[in-house]
Amino acid sequence: MTDAFDAVLSQDRAVSILRAAIAGDRLASAYLFEGPTGVGKQRAAMALARAVVGADAEPGKRTEVERRVDALAHPDVRVFAPRDTGSRNLQVETVREHILPFTQFAPFEAKHAFIIFPDADVSFPEAHPEAANALLKTLEEPRPGVHFVLLAERPDRLLATIRSRCQRLRFAPLPDATLDQILEGAGVEADLRIAAVALAEGRADRAIELSELGAADALLALAMRVDRAVAGGRPGDIVAAAEEVARFEPLPRALEALARYYRDVAAAALGRGDESLAFRHRAGEIRARAEHFGAARAAKACELLRELDEHLAGNANKEIALGALFCSI
């Protein structure tokens, strides 16, 4: 029989806790799965529901019950995502008219029921507490067998009273090897996977997005154009590079590509092997640059890029800030 958690990759600690809870019949009434998007939180939530509701099935019917859970066609597994409009938080009417009635009468077929909230920090933000307050009593004292699973990239944005009523499980960014495995399984060619993995920040959704149409390699090419302008030292080229980066959307992706590139330059200058480089498929060019740039200067560039994030968060002029940074490098 297929293990429901097999689809949850490289989250051994969280999965082991959930498996132990199932085996010991110690499931929490409410869980808060924390971590970036694209690291397996929703897969784990669905796997939990599939494993528990599937185990409740009558002999010979487990496969069919699990199929219905996977298809969101089982009455004891409901998923409520944020709205598609406005600030996207769930409205209090939705909680009262759809969510609370479900929690009042579930489970219907199985011994357990699950209500899953993807992006719960969007659905129940602290800035809009009405829906969260409407859910609070039920979350604190649910019917036997009813389980809540809230998924959040930024749990600190959830109402504090919601957080305090959940057992929290942390989902970490995925290792590069896992991201590469996921991209390979998606049919992404090997030469497109390296830069995508390097810039994905441990997130499978971002790795897939960056692998499409060579987006990650385009970011690396941008970083290397900026570095050529820096190396040349001509004010006109530096201003042009600052303007190009300032126009890039989303800007944080361009800055992360620059930072990763300079971290590779620093590593190469320190004599690290090609396998340690994020952009190892461009190792020759990176090593040539490292010979002239040096580790200390590359590390300083990374530090300046981190500081730039703070300046931009304070609404600094992007082109001026970028131009000043490139001149400083």
Side-chain angles (χ1 to χ4, degrees), residues 163-280:
R163 295 198 305 268
S164 67
R165 284 158 175 78
C166 299
Q167 179 177 329
R168 301 172 73 162
L169 284 182
R170 179 69 185 172
F171 285 70
L174 299 174
D176 287 355
T178 300
L179 293 178
D180 189 70
Q181 174 188 343
I182 291 169
L183 292 181
E184 183 179 13
V188 179
E189 297 178 8
D191 60 346
L192 294 177
R193 299 202 299 263
I194 297 174
V197 168
L199 296 174
E201 298 182 330
R203 294 171 44 179
D205 56 346
R206 182 168 291 180
I208 291 170
E209 178 188 347
L210 287 168
S211 69
E212 294 174 352
L213 301 176
D217 282 303
L219 278 166
L220 174 57
L222 172 61
M224 297 179 83
R225 285 197 300 276
V226 168
D227 185 54
R228 283 195 293 272
V230 168
R234 289 187 290 271
D237 291 344
I238 290 176
V239 169
E243 290 174 349
E244 182 180 8
V245 175
R247 289 194 301 268
F248 192 90
E249 290 292 342
L251 178 58
R253 297 267 182 100
L255 299 180
E256 173 59 22
L258 270 169
R260 292 292 296 207
Y261 170 77
Y262 281 120
R263 284 199 290 273
D264 272 2
V265 171
L270 291 169
R272 304 281 176 80
D274 289 357
E275 71 283 352
S276 70
L277 303 181
F279 302 121
R280 56 190 177 279

Side-chain angles (χ1 to χ4, degrees), residues 76-148:
D76 289 319
V77 180
R78 300 287 303 276
V79 176
F80 287 91
R83 294 181 298 146
D84 293 328
T85 59
S87 60
R88 302 187 63 214
N89 60 297
L90 288 181
Q91 301 293 281
V92 66
E93 292 80 7
T94 301
V95 174
R96 290 172 177 161
E97 295 174 13
H98 299 284
I99 296 172
L100 294 184
F102 173 82
T103 62
Q104 182 180 357
F105 297 106
F108 298 96
E109 291 184 11
K111 297 176 183 177
H112 298 82
F114 289 84
I115 183 164
I116 299 168
F117 295 101
D119 301 310
D121 45 337
V122 178
S123 294
F124 302 110
E126 195 168 21
H128 298 279
E130 298 83 6
N133 285 330
L135 183 67
L136 200 55
K137 183 173 176 57
T138 302
L139 188 67
E140 187 174 22
E141 300 175 1
R143 281 172 53 85
V146 174
H147 308 278
F148 296 84

Side-chain angles (χ1 to χ4, degrees), residues 56 73 106 129 150 158 181 238 281 283 326:
D56 290 343
L150 286 72
L158 278 166
Q181 174 188 343
I238 290 176
H281 61 316
F326 296 159

Side-chain angles (χ1 to χ4, degrees), residues 5 13-27 31:
F5 290 101
R13 180 179 179 276
V15 167
S16 66
I17 290 172
L18 294 174
R19 281 180 171 147
I22 295 171
D25 194 23
R26 293 181 284 102
L27 282 174
Y31 288 98

Side-chain angles (χ1 to χ4, degrees), residues 243-322:
E243 290 174 349
E244 182 180 8
V245 175
R247 289 194 301 268
F248 192 90
E249 290 292 342
L251 178 58
R253 297 267 182 100
L255 299 180
E256 173 59 22
L258 270 169
R260 292 292 296 207
Y261 170 77
Y262 281 120
R263 284 199 290 273
D264 272 2
V265 171
L270 291 169
R272 304 281 176 80
D274 289 357
E275 71 283 352
S276 70
L277 303 181
F279 302 121
R280 56 190 177 279
H281 61 316
R282 306 293 291 272
E285 296 159 272
I286 289 170
R287 291 195 179 283
R289 181 62 170 135
E291 290 181 8
H292 299 284
F293 204 67
R297 192 174 167 196
K300 181 63 176 178
C302 293
E303 181 183 343
L304 290 171
L305 283 161
R306 284 195 300 270
E307 292 174 358
L308 179 65
D309 277 338
E310 298 176 8
H311 293 312
L312 294 178
N315 295 318
N317 181 285
K318 290 188 291 186
E319 291 183 14
I320 293 175
L322 286 163

